[in-house]
Amino acid sequence: MVTATPIPTAIRDLPFAAGVVGREDVQRARQQLGLDESLVAIPGLFFQNRYNFAQDLRIAIRGFGARANFGIRGIRIFADDIPLTLPDGQGSVDSIDLGSVQQIQVIRGPFSAVFGSASGGVIDIITEDGPETPFISGRMNFGSYDFRQAQVKAGGQSENLNSLANFTATKLDGYRQQSTYENHLLNSKFRYQFDDRTRLTVVFNAVDSPVADDPGGLTATEVEQNRRQAAPRNLQFNAGESLDQQSLGLALRKQIGTNQELMLRNYYVRRQFNSLQPFDLNSNGQGGAIDLSRKFAGLGGNYSWNTTLGSRSNQVVVGMDYDAQKDHRKRFINDQGVLGDLTTNQDEDVTTTGFYLQDVLELTENAALTLGGRFDQVDYEANDRTGGEGSGRRSFTNFSPMAGINWAVGDSVNIYANISTSFDPPATTELANPLAPTGFNPNLDSQTASNYEIGIKGLQAGRINYELALFHIAVRDEIVPYELAGSGQSFFQNAGKSSHDGLEATVSMELLPGLTGTATYTWSDFKYDQFQGLGGAVFDGNRIPGIPEQLFNLALNWSNSSGWFAGWDALYVGQFFADNANEVETDSYIVSSFRAGYRWTGGQWVFEPFFGVNNLFDKKYMDNIRLNAAFGRYYEPAPERNLYAGMSLRYGF
């Protein structure tokens, strides 16, 4: 069952593409450094920046999200009904606790009809509940480049209260110079069942990351000379970031009668972010040191009911969301790692209001029609505290409809089709003014997209799962990054029109008892149809940078009743361009990993040693490509072959 949609639906009955990974896919013998370790097996997703924690993991779904130099763009992220995406549309994964994930659900394609700005799709994370029998467990993990990770987890059921808490501490010196990382993460969830119809879930999360250095991008010559070096300016200006964040979320669900349910949610987040960028003062007067104090909160809810239309089942949900973000942004001259004079001092407020409706109507015993729509208004306000002329307002509104149909041809084959739309306003960081140190970019507009998709899903002989999706997405005003020479940072502009055409396929089957194989293939033909860049450069017909035309992933997983288990996967990434002009093209590569372990159970104890090898065949490839980078600094080399090993011990009371 996919619960990421307001109306929970079996994955084969959804009229759009979706994928699900479970707890053991995320946790078992994994290094637990990023979401890409388990989600790479879902077609349509492309990951970069796994090892640069100052830039955050870059996730792209059907090409949306590739533009983000840091953070997650174009994708809505939720954890236990609480949004991890800001009201301005920028998300982050630094507060996701992989050590307590129960399931991750991914919806691919524009889905603003329910979730708001989500051009690429939705990632919904569900964390573990405490088991009926209380337990406590510990996990230690060590590896190359002085990787160290410790984890403590406990939980259980006590009468009407269910609880689980997990604490993880991670340290890593990194493969390259200037890439040290340290993170402490606490995630806890409490669920109180008032009666058989009413339950309240409370989630508390805290993350403290005092160090996340940024080694920066290298030129091709520098990569050839020394892959492990940092960019000279990143060393000179001590580039990197620190983060301190706490969040509290509440979600109440109450069944009303036999066919109705009410869901209400409320959340609060405080975030302190500091960053040193690799320049002192850029060409528009913005300093290279950032001090950002952020508070954001929201409330929302939906009401769903099951009814009939004629003799057919009809499920309806209506809902609303209100979210507010308040930033106090200061910038200083970066005097080689020391704060200098203040250059920017402004408040940035963002509020979003959304109303949505979704309806699933049973047309026949084998076919269902899904309709939906959402109205969004996003308001931005900047207040220049220096008394300058940087204050201003921007507002964006949009209505996003969708329609989909699913037809069960037989017991094991489902065909679906959908038309959906998306609305994606710029984030506050994307609205940075390239002409002044304060205020918003007056020339940057929101992007919109229309998605047309058909697909087939099936299960053959009870052992072969498959899915095939074909789509065409027409995008207007796609938001794309660029760097001004000497600025040291990315700014953004709109491309007139672009198109995303693609194919996604996956096959998973049981090869032998205990041995499963999964193969996924993604073909992406993403192009600018009309795009005039800075200085009058024309990019019509060029491929959109940052997305390979072909992706192929093969994974084998084995386990048996004796307790032994192992997993191997290989990822092929085809060539792609690093710039809008299509003058810089990356090499294709194949990267592989292996992991194995043993699970021993004795009475109330479970002991599990494990090990893993990343980049098994020691390939030289790029962990990240910085799009449209100035001075040819596109490349962030990935680590060579590296190892990790650890053990976990669990005791059930």
Side-chain angles (χ1 to χ4, degrees), residues 325-339:
Q325 169 185 341
K326 293 184 176 294
D327 294 350
H328 182 199
R329 187 184 303 272
K330 293 188 288 186
R331 299 187 72 135
F332 303 83
I333 292 175
N334 182 358
D335 186 8
Q336 300 191 43
V338 179
L339 294 186

Side-chain angles (χ1 to χ4, degrees), residues 237 281 289 361 364 373 396 436 463 633:
F237 293 100
L281 186 71
L361 173 64
T364 70
F396 304 93
R463 56 184 292 179
R633 296 193 172 277

Side-chain angles (χ1 to χ4, degrees), residues 238-308:
N238 193 28
E241 69 176 39
S242 63
L243 169 68
D244 182 33
Q245 175 177 298
Q246 301 84 38
S247 64
L248 174 67
L250 302 93
L252 175 72
R253 290 186 179 272
K254 181 174 181 60
Q255 290 184 349
I256 303 172
T258 57
N259 298 313
Q260 302 171 62
E261 184 180 76
L262 174 68
M263 189 280 285
L264 299 173
R265 65 170 176 83
N266 187 209
Y267 70 94
Y268 307 86
V269 181
R270 187 203 72 87
R271 184 179 179 95
Q272 177 62 45
F273 174 81
N274 296 88
S275 174
L276 295 175
Q277 298 185 335
F279 60 91
D280 47 7
L281 186 71
N282 66 22
S283 58
N284 67 336
Q286 294 180 345
I290 300 173
D291 182 329
L292 177 64
S293 298
R294 169 175 289 160
K295 295 179 181 179
F296 61 99
L299 57 89
N302 61 56
Y303 186 76
S304 60
W305 66 95
N306 298 335
T307 183
T308 57

